[in-house]
Amino acid sequence: MSICELNKNKAAELALPVGLKPTHAWQCYTLMQHPGLIVIRNPFMALGQRYWMSRCLRDYPQKPNISNLDANPAMADFSTDWWMELQRSTDKQAKQRIKTSMRWTTLGYHHNWDTKVYDEAMHNKFPDDLKALCQFFSLAIGFANYEPQAAIVNYYPIGTTLSGHTDHSELNLKAPLFSFSFGQAAIFLIGGTTVDEKPSALFLRSGDVLVMSEQSRLCYHAVPRILPTDLKPWNDCLPPTKDDDKAVGHCMDTVLYSNVYDDQFWLPFEDYITDSRINVNVRQVLEFGKTEFK
């Protein structure tokens, strides 16, 4: 692996998003055998990790976003506000069932799992804070004009897997795919454009960012194992006092960013993440300059 030179000049055109370490502190790597694959080792500060985990658990599963619960009649009561239902539950077995029921939710353009295509009719507004975060990363690694338009948030209890697949449904396959890991660790495998090629293994920890661009964009990849970790970077190096003045800009939920500093507020999120991993995959669907399918 070799260190990937960050495009600091272009990234400097945007203010550093709240919750990120300055770009000079990032550790960025490429794999020689997988051109276009970039790994950024945890560029998030502790509060940054807490913010994004909270967004993924509390907010992103809510309507009008689509989740796996929508197609399951047995989970219909949980699909409106899954996180609130989880917090309300007092029965241990029921709580565990609700917790593990959430496996994915989609944002922006919603991927149709049956047809494997996107549809203009299945589309709602992409979150502004996640858009700003991805555009900053895009500039930092040298991709201009990136427009985040679709995301899949995956929820992995320990013991679950993701089978080998490629991401080829987008019209724009030149734009990078951003993958953010939070919570427990995972083994990530990436191979080639056929299943016959031997894959390489990466160990992803909480806060790591994986970027698939260029040739790696169409390579088979999988998550064969979620692993427990003793590391909890979302609790490390919290500022000694809460500084609300820093929680501004980049369309963030400033109230949420302030609240995740408080351990009592954070406790239910901590309980969830102790045996689970969250993965946020963001991609550009349309060709540059287009605003809808035609």
Side-chain angles (χ1 to χ4, degrees), residues 81-97:
D81 194 335
W82 164 79
W83 183 250
M84 183 60 68
E85 290 296 331
L86 179 61
Q87 304 316 307
R88 287 174 178 166
S89 179
T90 56
D91 180 82
K92 185 175 181 180
Q93 290 186 337
K95 193 176 185 71
Q96 184 64 18
R97 182 167 65 93

Side-chain angles (χ1 to χ4, degrees), residues 180-214:
F180 302 91
S181 293
F182 298 109
Q184 300 304 300
I187 294 175
F188 176 83
L189 297 180
I190 181 165
T193 54
T194 70
V195 295
D196 298 324
E197 298 181 54
K198 184 179 179 180
S200 301
L202 290 171
F203 189 67
L204 298 178
R205 299 177 179 86
S206 187
D208 286 348
V209 182
L210 186 73
V211 187
M212 298 175 68
S213 65
E214 301 171 0

Side-chain angles (χ1 to χ4, degrees), residues 117-168:
V117 297
Y118 293 95
D119 186 337
E120 192 67 39
M122 295 177 62
H123 172 227
N124 58 273
K125 190 176 185 300
F126 193 86
D128 289 332
D129 54 354
L130 186 57
K131 176 180 177 179
L133 180 76
C134 292
Q135 288 181 326
F136 184 88
F137 274 101
S138 178
L139 281 175
I141 61 173
F143 287 92
N145 304 316
Y146 182 73
E147 186 69 22
Q149 295 165 328
I152 301 174
V153 184
N154 293 302
Y155 304 87
Y156 295 95
I158 285 180
T160 56
T161 63
L162 179 66
S163 59
H165 65 284
T166 62
D167 294 304
H168 57 267

Side-chain angles (χ1 to χ4, degrees), residues 210-236:
L210 186 73
V211 187
M212 298 175 68
S213 65
E214 301 171 0
Q215 293 97 314
S216 71
R217 184 68 174 76
L218 290 177
C219 290
Y220 278 89
H221 52 283
V223 180
R225 185 166 296 180
I226 308 300
L227 299 172
T229 176
D230 293 331
L231 301 176
K232 295 184 177 181
W234 54 88
N235 292 336
D236 293 343

Side-chain angles (χ1 to χ4, degrees), residues 20-175:
L20 278 182
K21 301 172 185 175
T23 54
H24 67 77
W26 292 10
Q27 295 179 341
C28 182
Y29 303 90
T30 59
L31 274 69
M32 295 182 62
Q33 65 271 40
H34 297 286
L37 186 73
I38 302 170
V39 181
I40 307 173
R41 291 298 187 191
N42 187 21
F44 293 91
M45 295 186 293
L47 287 183
Q49 287 208 33
R50 286 188 175 195
Y51 175 86
W52 290 110
M53 285 190 272
S54 300
R55 284 284 277 157
C56 289
L57 293 170
R58 188 193 71 171
D59 301 331
Y60 290 161
Q62 293 194 37
K63 304 298 182 188
N65 298 328
I66 297 174
S67 79
N68 64 291
L69 301 183
D70 295 320
N72 187 345
M75 296 296 172
D77 293 340
F78 309 145
S79 63
T80 300
D81 194 335
W82 164 79
W83 183 250
M84 183 60 68
E85 290 296 331
L86 179 61
Q87 304 316 307
R88 287 174 178 166
S89 179
T90 56
D91 180 82
K92 185 175 181 180
Q93 290 186 337
K95 193 176 185 71
Q96 184 64 18
R97 182 167 65 93
I98 297 171
K99 176 179 178 178
T100 58
S101 67
M102 179 60 69
R103 297 305 305 274
W104 56 262
T105 186
T106 53
L107 321 175
Y109 279 98
H110 301 288
H111 188 262
N112 188 312
W113 302 101
D114 296 322
T115 63
K116 307 299 182 184
V117 297
Y118 293 95
D119 186 337
E120 192 67 39
M122 295 177 62
H123 172 227
N124 58 273
K125 190 176 185 300
F126 193 86
D128 289 332
D129 54 354
L130 186 57
K131 176 180 177 179
L133 180 76
C134 292
Q135 288 181 326
F136 184 88
F137 274 101
S138 178
L139 281 175
I141 61 173
F143 287 92
N145 304 316
Y146 182 73
E147 186 69 22
Q149 295 165 328
I152 301 174
V153 184
N154 293 302
Y155 304 87
Y156 295 95
I158 285 180
T160 56
T161 63
L162 179 66
S163 59
H165 65 284
T166 62
D167 294 304
H168 57 267
S169 298
E170 292 75 39
L171 296 178
N172 188 342
L173 295 176
K174 296 179 181 179

